[in-house]
Every structure is written in C-alpha cells, then in structure tokens.
Amino acid sequence: MNRRLVDRLIGEVLFAVALFAIAAVFFIIAFLLRDGYQIFMDAGVWNFIGGVQWNPAGEYPSFGAFPLIVGTILVMALAMVIAVPLSIGSAIYIAEIAAPGTRAVIKPAVELLAGIPSVVYGFFGLILLTDWIRIAFGQPSGSSWLAGSILLAIMSLPTITSVAEDAISAVPREFGEGSLALGASHWQTIRNVIVPGAFSGISAAIILGMGRAIGETMAVLMVTGNAAIIPEPLTNIFSPIRTLTGTLGIEMGEVAFGSLHYHALFGIAVILLFITLSVNGAAMLIIRRIQGTQGLQKPGPSGIQPGGFRRMRNLMNGIALKWPFTLLAGAGTAFLPLLLAPPVLVARLIDGITSICFVHQPLKWTFHPRSAQKWAFCLISLSVLIVLTILGVILSGIVVNGAGAISWEFLTQSPRNLGREGGIFPAIVGTLYLVGGALAIALPVGIATALYLIEYTADNALTRGIRTAVDLLNGMPSIVFGLFGFAFLVLFLNFGVSLIAGQITLGLMILPTIIRTTEEALRSIPASIREGSYAVGATKWQTVWHAVLPPAMPGIMTGAILSIGRAAGETAPIMFTAAVFSSRFLPSSLSEPVMALPYHLFILTTNVPGATDQQFGTALVLLMLVLSIYLAAILVRWRYQWAKVF
C-alpha cells in the first residue's frame, strides 16, 4: 500500500478517535439534562434552586436545593481558609527556600497526599478526626461542617501547592536576580517580585483547589453529619451540614427509577456540574492567559492536515464547537469575578498584613529586613512542617492500627459475617479487574487523541475544542461520572450493575489524565528528532512510531500509572455501576457485579459495627496499593529526568 495513503488513513483514524472526548462530554451533559430537566419543569427553576427545605421522603415531599448549595459553599470556603496559607507557604518553601536535596524529599511527600484515596480520608476523619473535634470542643458529635472542611483542606493541599509551585518557578530567574542585585533581601525579593509575578498562577491554583473541594463526595459524606440544614448562626462551624455531592452519594442508591426524587437528584447533579465547570473554566482561562503573557509554548506543533472528514470537521468547527463552548465560556466569564473574589480577598488581606508588619513606618524599625526574613521563613517552614505532620499522622494512624489485621487469611479469603471475619481477596482482585479494564479502554483512546493533537494537526478551532472538552472532562466530579454510568450504561443500555459498566465509567474518568500526560510527553520531544527522521525519507507515521514514541514512552507510562492509582482509589464512580459490598466468588463474566476495596471500606466503615480491625486492615491494603502505584510514577519520573539527554 502507498506509504502516503497509510499516513492519511492513520491520520483519519486518529481524528475519529480524538472526537471521542467531545462526544463523551456531550453525552454526559445530555444524559444529566435528560433526567434532570423534569424537576425544573415540575418544581420551577427558582423554587428548586432557592427552596429552603430538602425532604424528598416526607409526607409532602419538598425539593429545595438551597441548603445543599449553601452547605457546599460553606464547607469549601472554610477548607480554603485552612488550605490556602499552608499551600502557598509550602509552594514558596519548595520553589524558593528549600535546598535541592530537601526539595527532592518534600515535593514527593506533598504529592503523596494526592495519592491517598478519598474514602481513606473519610475513614480517617470518621474514626479519628470527628472524635477529636467532639472531645476537644465539647460537642455532642464531631460530624460537622468543621470536620468536612478540615478533610477537604487536606485533600486540596497537593493541588494548590503543586500548581502554585509551578507558577512561582515559572517567574523568570532574572527578576529575582535583579532584585537581589539592587540590595533587596531574599524575603523582600519573594514578597515584592516573585509572588506578585506568580499571582495569576497562584489564583488559578486556589480556584483549582476550590473545584477539588466542591467535587469531593466520599470524604464529606462520611464526616459532615449530612443534615440538610443551613447552620444557625451561619458561623456555627460545629453544625452538621450536607453538600450536593453528599446528597447524591446517599440517596441515589435507594431512589425509585423515574420518580420525582430521581429527577431531583439529577437536577442536583446539573447544578453541581455547572458550578464545577465554571470554577475549572475560570482556572483554565487564567492559566491560558499566563501562557500567553509569559510566552510559554502553546500546543500544536506542525503536521500535515489529513484530508477526508472535511465536511464533518467544518461542521464541528462551525456548529458543534462554536455555540456550546461559547455558552460555556460565556458562563465561565460571567461567574469569573465571583469565583475570583475569595483569592483576591485573601491576597488583599495578606498584602495588608505584610504592609502593616513590614512596611508601616512606625514598625519598620522593629521589623528589620533580616528580622522580617527570619520570621517569614519561620512561618513558611512551619506551614511545610504542618503539611508533613498531617501526612505522618494519617499514614502512621492507619499503618499502626491496620498492621495487626494483615494476615495470609485476610489477603486470600472471602469475607464472612458481613465482613467482620474472613478476608478481602475478592475485593483486591475486583479492584484489579476494574482498573485493568478501565486502562484497556482509556489508554489506546488517550494515546491516539494525544498523537492527533500533537503530531497530526496544527493549533486550530478543532484542536482547541478537543482540548476544552478534555479539560471539562477532567474537571467533572467523580460522582457525576457515576451518575452518567448509572443512567447511560446501567439503565439506558441495560448493562445492569456490572463489571463492564464500572470499567467504562472509570475509563472515561481517567481518559483526560492519559491524554494530557501523553501530550506533554510528546511535546517534550525536540523538533530536531522529527526533522532528522523526515530528512532520511521517513513518513509521518514512521517518524511517530520509530522516532517520537520510544523517547516519549516514560512520560506516557507515568500518565498510565497515575491513572491506575486514581482508578484504584475511587468509590463514587463504581458505587452505582459495578460494586457490591460482599461476594464469596470472583465475577465469571463482564456482566456480573464485583467487589472493590474502596466500596468495601466505605460500607464497612458506615454500616457494619464491630469490624474495626477489618476496617483498618482494608484501609491499609488500599492505601499501600494506591501509594505503591504513585511511588512507581514518581520513580519513573526521576529515572526519566536523569536519563533525559535533550
């Protein structure tokens, strides 16, 4: 076959696969709207959103989502108050203060916090944190707004820290060197040059942290008390509270299909999706603005424009891409001032405090630049110490209490007596089944999409649309994937609660991670490698297959490993699609349900009294499984960095 024809066919196949990301986003939104619009029609839009009572099981059911929206915002806001100072302090320490050897230890430690499954956070919060709040503050119950915010703050820490550290590191080194050359101290340079230069990136980090907090399900469901009320007074942080995600997690499993309650839950999912997409859209706008103003490389290296599908592409450019994304971009822009208000207020507050402490003339002599630097570095180091202490407390608490439950019987036998006896072997194997299937679905699609975006097309409206769809997919809460899998796979396609439904749902969830990491790996290959291949007569596909993919493989493997870790630790996407609490046997076909470690731990913790040893043992096994996967990703990254020759 003609080599050019092969090249063209491969380009068309990659283009068709790349459209899958856009199709997935529209399918998810379409199915949520299909099942959610009924409640807006029956109850009225403003009655549903602004109603102050949520009581779907009452004699006279009421569907007011306002307490749930308020609960979501309150628990997120307090979490940001806790997380932002610790995260920004940690980011400054890692980027500007820490020695290379110290940085090599602290950065992976902070990243490990991101690898702990949310259900393990919830288990830790339910067993230890709520008890501490109850005893320390003399409350009748520790399940409260405060407990949820503390957990969400810990879970948001790695996201904010990583993005903020990248933004601080991206400030040109010449800026800092110029400041130091003028006689400024290191702290004055950080405060007046580095942090202001990275402010947009830090704002984006905070907004991404907000999105992470809003979309979390399992941890808040387990520790917030789940009372659909507005705290009285509004500052009562010990009041129980309920979030949008928590409501979906609690009620979706027991609702009658097609009932008004069923449609109300999908209406809540629509509200949640709109909030999270707006938050992540705002972060994307800021990050792209940074890329534009700092002259960073924009996506889309040169490549041939494959023919065929031209009419479809024009259609996508003209219709499918323009108006929906214009609407989403408009919605994001309209909400941008509101979303940026918290980080701006925090920045103004920090600026005011530093002005009073370090600039105000009467105190200027008290806070000599050297003294100010000493105090500032102490506070920044303290923030890192607090983060590492949190990691140590969580890991040590679970390891110390769970080690005693680990035995050969626990790892190789099926559960008995509702999980109080026996082992977790079907849950371990079921988790591996789910992860393996999800990877088999997402890995080829993700790599093909990234190849098309990087190697086979230039930066145009279509590629921007695909990347926007990937970013939207990446920002969706995991519970939304679970609802989509339930509505589309379990009910519409009649798969039932099954292994294949869970694998597809998890595959959709990890697809954006694989696409993005593969894109970055391909983009890191110098253009001279491709030009050398073309110079000896190789075609586009031969260049990609023999010259580009081999050196990019470590980066692609890192993305795959990170996706495995995320899929293994997720509970919300599988609780309505694939998982059962207890089973003595492994599934014999893809149409049977399966046990999974995260769901088994969730039910053990919330519904089975007298199973403390099994709870800690399951949490330890799940934690070690996921952290081992993340550790492998970190080692691959280190090896890749050391082996990198260009």
Side-chain angles (χ1 to χ4, degrees), residues 142-175:
S143 297
S144 59
W145 168 15
L146 176 62
S149 293
I150 291 175
L151 275 192
L152 288 183
I154 297 172
M155 298 174 73
S156 303
L157 272 169
T159 301
I160 302 175
T161 302
S162 296
V163 179
E165 190 252 329
D166 288 342
I168 293 171
S169 299
V171 175
R173 182 164 295 278
E174 293 81 3
F175 290 9

PDB file of all heavy atoms in Angstrom, residues 142-175:
ATOM      1  N   GLY A 142     -18.914  15.001  66.580  1.00  0.00           N
ATOM      2  CA  GLY A 142     -17.850  15.636  65.811  1.00  0.00           C
ATOM      3  C   GLY A 142     -18.131  15.705  64.323  1.00  0.00           C
ATOM      4  O   GLY A 142     -17.387  16.340  63.577  1.00  0.00           O
ATOM      5  N   SER A 143     -19.200  15.032  63.883  1.00  0.00           N
ATOM      6  CA  SER A 143     -19.562  15.082  62.461  1.00  0.00           C
ATOM      7  C   SER A 143     -20.149  16.454  62.162  1.00  0.00           C
ATOM      8  O   SER A 143     -21.277  16.755  62.576  1.00  0.00           O
ATOM      9  CB  SER A 143     -20.581  13.983  62.131  1.00  0.00           C
ATOM     10  OG  SER A 143     -20.009  12.712  62.348  1.00  0.00           O
ATOM     11  N   SER A 144     -19.418  17.267  61.459  1.00  0.00           N
ATOM     12  CA  SER A 144     -19.792  18.676  61.366  1.00  0.00           C
ATOM     13  C   SER A 144     -19.182  19.329  60.135  1.00  0.00           C
ATOM     14  O   SER A 144     -18.373  18.729  59.408  1.00  0.00           O
ATOM     15  CB  SER A 144     -19.289  19.411  62.615  1.00  0.00           C
ATOM     16  OG  SER A 144     -17.883  19.278  62.727  1.00  0.00           O
ATOM     17  N   TRP A 145     -19.576  20.570  59.939  1.00  0.00           N
ATOM     18  CA  TRP A 145     -19.004  21.425  58.898  1.00  0.00           C
ATOM     19  C   TRP A 145     -17.488  21.518  59.066  1.00  0.00           C
ATOM     20  O   TRP A 145     -16.740  21.395  58.103  1.00  0.00           O
ATOM     21  CB  TRP A 145     -19.687  22.782  59.007  1.00  0.00           C
ATOM     22  CG  TRP A 145     -19.068  23.911  58.235  1.00  0.00           C
ATOM     23  CD1 TRP A 145     -18.142  23.830  57.234  1.00  0.00           C
ATOM     24  CD2 TRP A 145     -19.353  25.301  58.400  1.00  0.00           C
ATOM     25  NE1 TRP A 145     -17.830  25.096  56.774  1.00  0.00           N
ATOM     26  CE2 TRP A 145     -18.555  26.003  57.455  1.00  0.00           C
ATOM     27  CE3 TRP A 145     -20.216  26.011  59.243  1.00  0.00           C
ATOM     28  CZ2 TRP A 145     -18.592  27.397  57.357  1.00  0.00           C
ATOM     29  CZ3 TRP A 145     -20.254  27.403  59.139  1.00  0.00           C
ATOM     30  CH2 TRP A 145     -19.443  28.076  58.203  1.00  0.00           C
ATOM     31  N   LEU A 146     -17.010  21.690  60.315  1.00  0.00           N
ATOM     32  CA  LEU A 146     -15.573  21.824  60.570  1.00  0.00           C
ATOM     33  C   LEU A 146     -14.824  20.567  60.137  1.00  0.00           C
ATOM     34  O   LEU A 146     -13.761  20.665  59.501  1.00  0.00           O
ATOM     35  CB  LEU A 146     -15.329  22.099  62.058  1.00  0.00           C
ATOM     36  CG  LEU A 146     -13.858  22.176  62.489  1.00  0.00           C
ATOM     37  CD1 LEU A 146     -13.144  23.326  61.780  1.00  0.00           C
ATOM     38  CD2 LEU A 146     -13.748  22.340  64.011  1.00  0.00           C
ATOM     39  N   ALA A 147     -15.362  19.387  60.474  1.00  0.00           N
ATOM     40  CA  ALA A 147     -14.681  18.146  60.106  1.00  0.00           C
ATOM     41  C   ALA A 147     -14.564  18.016  58.591  1.00  0.00           C
ATOM     42  O   ALA A 147     -13.514  17.643  58.062  1.00  0.00           O
ATOM     43  CB  ALA A 147     -15.439  16.945  60.687  1.00  0.00           C
ATOM     44  N   GLY A 148     -15.660  18.339  57.882  1.00  0.00           N
ATOM     45  CA  GLY A 148     -15.619  18.267  56.424  1.00  0.00           C
ATOM     46  C   GLY A 148     -14.615  19.237  55.840  1.00  0.00           C
ATOM     47  O   GLY A 148     -13.883  18.901  54.902  1.00  0.00           O
ATOM     48  N   SER A 149     -14.559  20.447  56.385  1.00  0.00           N
ATOM     49  CA  SER A 149     -13.627  21.444  55.849  1.00  0.00           C
ATOM     50  C   SER A 149     -12.182  21.064  56.107  1.00  0.00           C
ATOM     51  O   SER A 149     -11.313  21.289  55.254  1.00  0.00           O
ATOM     52  CB  SER A 149     -13.934  22.818  56.472  1.00  0.00           C
ATOM     53  OG  SER A 149     -15.187  23.294  56.038  1.00  0.00           O
ATOM     54  N   ILE A 150     -11.893  20.503  57.294  1.00  0.00           N
ATOM     55  CA  ILE A 150     -10.511  20.084  57.574  1.00  0.00           C
ATOM     56  C   ILE A 150     -10.078  19.008  56.585  1.00  0.00           C
ATOM     57  O   ILE A 150      -8.981  19.056  56.017  1.00  0.00           O
ATOM     58  CB  ILE A 150     -10.386  19.585  59.025  1.00  0.00           C
ATOM     59  CG1 ILE A 150     -10.553  20.753  60.013  1.00  0.00           C
ATOM     60  CG2 ILE A 150      -9.036  18.910  59.246  1.00  0.00           C
ATOM     61  CD1 ILE A 150     -10.561  20.344  61.471  1.00  0.00           C
ATOM     62  N   LEU A 151     -10.950  18.037  56.348  1.00  0.00           N
ATOM     63  CA  LEU A 151     -10.595  16.976  55.395  1.00  0.00           C
ATOM     64  C   LEU A 151     -10.414  17.527  53.981  1.00  0.00           C
ATOM     65  O   LEU A 151      -9.463  17.176  53.280  1.00  0.00           O
ATOM     66  CB  LEU A 151     -11.682  15.897  55.384  1.00  0.00           C
ATOM     67  CG  LEU A 151     -11.597  14.797  56.436  1.00  0.00           C
ATOM     68  CD1 LEU A 151     -12.573  13.681  56.096  1.00  0.00           C
ATOM     69  CD2 LEU A 151     -10.200  14.236  56.557  1.00  0.00           C
ATOM     70  N   LEU A 152     -11.335  18.398  53.563  1.00  0.00           N
ATOM     71  CA  LEU A 152     -11.215  18.958  52.220  1.00  0.00           C
ATOM     72  C   LEU A 152      -9.975  19.833  52.094  1.00  0.00           C
ATOM     73  O   LEU A 152      -9.352  19.898  51.025  1.00  0.00           O
ATOM     74  CB  LEU A 152     -12.465  19.773  51.867  1.00  0.00           C
ATOM     75  CG  LEU A 152     -13.729  18.970  51.599  1.00  0.00           C
ATOM     76  CD1 LEU A 152     -14.875  19.887  51.198  1.00  0.00           C
ATOM     77  CD2 LEU A 152     -13.494  17.951  50.492  1.00  0.00           C
ATOM     78  N   ALA A 153      -9.609  20.517  53.175  1.00  0.00           N
ATOM     79  CA  ALA A 153      -8.381  21.320  53.141  1.00  0.00           C
ATOM     80  C   ALA A 153      -7.167  20.424  52.910  1.00  0.00           C
ATOM     81  O   ALA A 153      -6.290  20.742  52.097  1.00  0.00           O
ATOM     82  CB  ALA A 153      -8.234  22.099  54.451  1.00  0.00           C
ATOM     83  N   ILE A 154      -7.124  19.298  53.631  1.00  0.00           N
ATOM     84  CA  ILE A 154      -6.001  18.368  53.448  1.00  0.00           C
ATOM     85  C   ILE A 154      -5.993  17.824  52.024  1.00  0.00           C
ATOM     86  O   ILE A 154      -4.930  17.708  51.394  1.00  0.00           O
ATOM     87  CB  ILE A 154      -6.107  17.210  54.461  1.00  0.00           C
ATOM     88  CG1 ILE A 154      -5.999  17.750  55.897  1.00  0.00           C
ATOM     89  CG2 ILE A 154      -5.036  16.168  54.205  1.00  0.00           C
ATOM     90  CD1 ILE A 154      -6.286  16.710  56.967  1.00  0.00           C
ATOM     91  N   MET A 155      -7.170  17.528  51.488  1.00  0.00           N
ATOM     92  CA  MET A 155      -7.235  16.956  50.144  1.00  0.00           C
ATOM     93  C   MET A 155      -6.915  17.987  49.064  1.00  0.00           C
ATOM     94  O   MET A 155      -6.469  17.629  47.978  1.00  0.00           O
ATOM     95  CB  MET A 155      -8.630  16.362  49.914  1.00  0.00           C
ATOM     96  CG  MET A 155      -8.952  15.229  50.884  1.00  0.00           C
ATOM     97  SD  MET A 155     -10.635  14.625  50.751  1.00  0.00           S
ATOM     98  CE  MET A 155     -10.548  13.749  49.211  1.00  0.00           C
ATOM     99  N   SER A 156      -7.153  19.274  49.355  1.00  0.00           N
ATOM    100  CA  SER A 156      -6.853  20.324  48.371  1.00  0.00           C
ATOM    101  C   SER A 156      -5.407  20.762  48.417  1.00  0.00           C
ATOM    102  O   SER A 156      -4.920  21.401  47.475  1.00  0.00           O
ATOM    103  CB  SER A 156      -7.760  21.546  48.626  1.00  0.00           C
ATOM    104  OG  SER A 156      -9.117  21.187  48.576  1.00  0.00           O
ATOM    105  N   LEU A 157      -4.709  20.454  49.510  1.00  0.00           N
ATOM    106  CA  LEU A 157      -3.323  20.916  49.687  1.00  0.00           C
ATOM    107  C   LEU A 157      -2.410  20.562  48.513  1.00  0.00           C
ATOM    108  O   LEU A 157      -1.720  21.448  47.971  1.00  0.00           O
ATOM    109  CB  LEU A 157      -2.750  20.328  50.980  1.00  0.00           C
ATOM    110  CG  LEU A 157      -2.979  21.112  52.263  1.00  0.00           C
ATOM    111  CD1 LEU A 157      -2.589  20.276  53.473  1.00  0.00           C
ATOM    112  CD2 LEU A 157      -2.172  22.389  52.227  1.00  0.00           C
ATOM    113  N   PRO A 158      -2.345  19.298  48.078  1.00  0.00           N
ATOM    114  CA  PRO A 158      -1.414  18.981  46.993  1.00  0.00           C
ATOM    115  C   PRO A 158      -1.734  19.685  45.688  1.00  0.00           C
ATOM    116  O   PRO A 158      -0.821  20.075  44.959  1.00  0.00           O
ATOM    117  CB  PRO A 158      -1.535  17.452  46.856  1.00  0.00           C
ATOM    118  CG  PRO A 158      -2.672  17.039  47.681  1.00  0.00           C
ATOM    119  CD  PRO A 158      -3.022  18.126  48.612  1.00  0.00           C
ATOM    120  N   THR A 159      -3.038  19.845  45.385  1.00  0.00           N
ATOM    121  CA  THR A 159      -3.413  20.538  44.144  1.00  0.00           C
ATOM    122  C   THR A 159      -2.929  21.979  44.157  1.00  0.00           C
ATOM    123  O   THR A 159      -2.263  22.451  43.224  1.00  0.00           O
ATOM    124  CB  THR A 159      -4.944  20.499  43.953  1.00  0.00           C
ATOM    125  OG1 THR A 159      -5.374  19.139  43.901  1.00  0.00           O
ATOM    126  CG2 THR A 159      -5.349  21.213  42.676  1.00  0.00           C
ATOM    127  N   ILE A 160      -3.257  22.705  45.228  1.00  0.00           N
ATOM    128  CA  ILE A 160      -2.876  24.127  45.294  1.00  0.00           C
ATOM    129  C   ILE A 160      -1.358  24.265  45.347  1.00  0.00           C
ATOM    130  O   ILE A 160      -0.767  25.112  44.668  1.00  0.00           O
ATOM    131  CB  ILE A 160      -3.534  24.787  46.518  1.00  0.00           C
ATOM    132  CG1 ILE A 160      -5.058  24.640  46.455  1.00  0.00           C
ATOM    133  CG2 ILE A 160      -3.164  26.261  46.595  1.00  0.00           C
ATOM    134  CD1 ILE A 160      -5.788  25.159  47.677  1.00  0.00           C
ATOM    135  N   THR A 161      -0.712  23.419  46.152  1.00  0.00           N
ATOM    136  CA  THR A 161       0.739  23.521  46.303  1.00  0.00           C
ATOM    137  C   THR A 161       1.457  23.265  44.977  1.00  0.00           C
ATOM    138  O   THR A 161       2.356  24.021  44.589  1.00  0.00           O
ATOM    139  CB  THR A 161       1.228  22.509  47.355  1.00  0.00           C
ATOM    140  OG1 THR A 161       0.563  22.766  48.595  1.00  0.00           O
ATOM    141  CG2 THR A 161       2.729  22.636  47.566  1.00  0.00           C
ATOM    142  N   SER A 162       1.059  22.208  44.268  1.00  0.00           N
ATOM    143  CA  SER A 162       1.750  21.853  43.026  1.00  0.00           C
ATOM    144  C   SER A 162       1.603  22.942  41.973  1.00  0.00           C
ATOM    145  O   SER A 162       2.590  23.356  41.340  1.00  0.00           O
ATOM    146  CB  SER A 162       1.200  20.531  42.482  1.00  0.00           C
ATOM    147  OG  SER A 162       1.474  19.487  43.372  1.00  0.00           O
ATOM    148  N   VAL A 163       0.368  23.431  41.763  1.00  0.00           N
ATOM    149  CA  VAL A 163       0.151  24.450  40.731  1.00  0.00           C
ATOM    150  C   VAL A 163       0.815  25.770  41.124  1.00  0.00           C
ATOM    151  O   VAL A 163       1.439  26.444  40.290  1.00  0.00           O
ATOM    152  CB  VAL A 163      -1.360  24.637  40.485  1.00  0.00           C
ATOM    153  CG1 VAL A 163      -1.598  25.712  39.421  1.00  0.00           C
ATOM    154  CG2 VAL A 163      -1.998  23.333  40.040  1.00  0.00           C
ATOM    155  N   ALA A 164       0.713  26.150  42.407  1.00  0.00           N
ATOM    156  CA  ALA A 164       1.344  27.400  42.857  1.00  0.00           C
ATOM    157  C   ALA A 164       2.864  27.306  42.753  1.00  0.00           C
ATOM    158  O   ALA A 164       3.527  28.284  42.374  1.00  0.00           O
ATOM    159  CB  ALA A 164       0.917  27.697  44.290  1.00  0.00           C
ATOM    160  N   GLU A 165       3.416  26.147  43.085  1.00  0.00           N
ATOM    161  CA  GLU A 165       4.881  25.982  42.976  1.00  0.00           C
ATOM    162  C   GLU A 165       5.337  26.080  41.527  1.00  0.00           C
ATOM    163  O   GLU A 165       6.379  26.685  41.227  1.00  0.00           O
ATOM    164  CB  GLU A 165       5.272  24.627  43.571  1.00  0.00           C
ATOM    165  CG  GLU A 165       6.769  24.445  43.735  1.00  0.00           C
ATOM    166  CD  GLU A 165       7.346  23.465  42.743  1.00  0.00           C
ATOM    167  OE1 GLU A 165       6.623  22.539  42.367  1.00  0.00           O
ATOM    168  OE2 GLU A 165       8.498  23.654  42.333  1.00  0.00           O
ATOM    169  N   ASP A 166       4.551  25.511  40.611  1.00  0.00           N
ATOM    170  CA  ASP A 166       4.875  25.650  39.187  1.00  0.00           C
ATOM    171  C   ASP A 166       4.835  27.114  38.762  1.00  0.00           C
ATOM    172  O   ASP A 166       5.692  27.573  37.990  1.00  0.00           O
ATOM    173  CB  ASP A 166       3.892  24.832  38.343  1.00  0.00           C
ATOM    174  CG  ASP A 166       4.141  23.339  38.468  1.00  0.00           C
ATOM    175  OD1 ASP A 166       5.249  22.954  38.916  1.00  0.00           O
ATOM    176  OD2 ASP A 166       3.233  22.564  38.136  1.00  0.00           O
ATOM    177  N   ALA A 167       3.816  27.848  39.247  1.00  0.00           N
ATOM    178  CA  ALA A 167       3.699  29.269  38.875  1.00  0.00           C
ATOM    179  C   ALA A 167       4.870  30.075  39.428  1.00  0.00           C
ATOM    180  O   ALA A 167       5.424  30.938  38.739  1.00  0.00           O
ATOM    181  CB  ALA A 167       2.374  29.825  39.405  1.00  0.00           C
ATOM    182  N   ILE A 168       5.276  29.800  40.663  1.00  0.00           N
ATOM    183  CA  ILE A 168       6.409  30.526  41.257  1.00  0.00           C
ATOM    184  C   ILE A 168       7.703  30.184  40.520  1.00  0.00           C
ATOM    185  O   ILE A 168       8.521  31.061  40.240  1.00  0.00           O
ATOM    186  CB  ILE A 168       6.512  30.178  42.755  1.00  0.00           C
ATOM    187  CG1 ILE A 168       5.300  30.748  43.502  1.00  0.00           C
ATOM    188  CG2 ILE A 168       7.805  30.711  43.356  1.00  0.00           C
ATOM    189  CD1 ILE A 168       5.192  30.280  44.934  1.00  0.00           C
ATOM    190  N   SER A 169       7.876  28.914  40.187  1.00  0.00           N
ATOM    191  CA  SER A 169       9.093  28.501  39.472  1.00  0.00           C
ATOM    192  C   SER A 169       9.143  29.071  38.066  1.00  0.00           C
ATOM    193  O   SER A 169      10.239  29.186  37.484  1.00  0.00           O
ATOM    194  CB  SER A 169       9.159  26.969  39.402  1.00  0.00           C
ATOM    195  OG  SER A 169       9.205  26.410  40.696  1.00  0.00           O
ATOM    196  N   ALA A 170       7.958  29.404  37.492  1.00  0.00           N
ATOM    197  CA  ALA A 170       7.931  29.924  36.123  1.00  0.00           C
ATOM    198  C   ALA A 170       8.309  31.397  36.042  1.00  0.00           C
ATOM    199  O   ALA A 170       8.529  31.915  34.940  1.00  0.00           O
ATOM    200  CB  ALA A 170       6.535  29.725  35.523  1.00  0.00           C
ATOM    201  N   VAL A 171       8.366  32.094  37.178  1.00  0.00           N
ATOM    202  CA  VAL A 171       8.783  33.505  37.147  1.00  0.00           C
ATOM    203  C   VAL A 171      10.245  33.556  36.699  1.00  0.00           C
ATOM    204  O   VAL A 171      11.094  32.856  37.262  1.00  0.00           O
ATOM    205  CB  VAL A 171       8.623  34.145  38.543  1.00  0.00           C
ATOM    206  CG1 VAL A 171       9.162  35.573  38.548  1.00  0.00           C
ATOM    207  CG2 VAL A 171       7.163  34.124  38.965  1.00  0.00           C
ATOM    208  N   PRO A 172      10.565  34.344  35.662  1.00  0.00           N
ATOM    209  CA  PRO A 172      11.945  34.371  35.156  1.00  0.00           C
ATOM    210  C   PRO A 172      12.964  34.634  36.260  1.00  0.00           C
ATOM    211  O   PRO A 172      12.778  35.528  37.093  1.00  0.00           O
ATOM    212  CB  PRO A 172      11.904  35.516  34.133  1.00  0.00           C
ATOM    213  CG  PRO A 172      10.492  35.563  33.681  1.00  0.00           C
ATOM    214  CD  PRO A 172       9.667  35.202  34.884  1.00  0.00           C
ATOM    215  N   ARG A 173      14.024  33.834  36.251  1.00  0.00           N
ATOM    216  CA  ARG A 173      15.051  33.944  37.286  1.00  0.00           C
ATOM    217  C   ARG A 173      15.701  35.323  37.295  1.00  0.00           C
ATOM    218  O   ARG A 173      16.140  35.804  38.335  1.00  0.00           O
ATOM    219  CB  ARG A 173      16.106  32.857  37.067  1.00  0.00           C
ATOM    220  CG  ARG A 173      17.205  32.810  38.099  1.00  0.00           C
ATOM    221  CD  ARG A 173      17.944  31.502  38.032  1.00  0.00           C
ATOM    222  NE  ARG A 173      17.094  30.388  38.387  1.00  0.00           N
ATOM    223  CZ  ARG A 173      16.826  30.026  39.642  1.00  0.00           C
ATOM    224  NH1 ARG A 173      17.358  30.692  40.643  1.00  0.00           N
ATOM    225  NH2 ARG A 173      16.042  29.005  39.888  1.00  0.00           N
ATOM    226  N   GLU A 174      15.716  35.991  36.108  1.00  0.00           N
ATOM    227  CA  GLU A 174      16.349  37.307  36.039  1.00  0.00           C
ATOM    228  C   GLU A 174      15.646  38.318  36.945  1.00  0.00           C
ATOM    229  O   GLU A 174      16.282  39.253  37.453  1.00  0.00           O
ATOM    230  CB  GLU A 174      16.331  37.827  34.601  1.00  0.00           C
ATOM    231  CG  GLU A 174      17.205  37.048  33.636  1.00  0.00           C
ATOM    232  CD  GLU A 174      16.538  35.778  33.149  1.00  0.00           C
ATOM    233  OE1 GLU A 174      15.364  35.533  33.516  1.00  0.00           O
ATOM    234  OE2 GLU A 174      17.186  34.996  32.423  1.00  0.00           O
ATOM    235  N   PHE A 175      14.331  38.147  37.162  1.00  0.00           N
ATOM    236  CA  PHE A 175      13.600  39.071  38.030  1.00  0.00           C
ATOM    237  C   PHE A 175      14.167  39.027  39.445  1.00  0.00           C
ATOM    238  O   PHE A 175      14.432  40.063  40.063  1.00  0.00           O
ATOM    239  CB  PHE A 175      12.108  38.714  38.048  1.00  0.00           C
ATOM    240  CG  PHE A 175      11.383  39.005  36.771  1.00  0.00           C
ATOM    241  CD1 PHE A 175      12.070  39.383  35.615  1.00  0.00           C
ATOM    242  CD2 PHE A 175       9.994  38.899  36.710  1.00  0.00           C
ATOM    243  CE1 PHE A 175      11.401  39.642  34.429  1.00  0.00           C
ATOM    244  CE2 PHE A 175       9.316  39.158  35.531  1.00  0.00           C
ATOM    245  CZ  PHE A 175      10.024  39.526  34.390  1.00  0.00           C
TER     246      PHE A 175
END
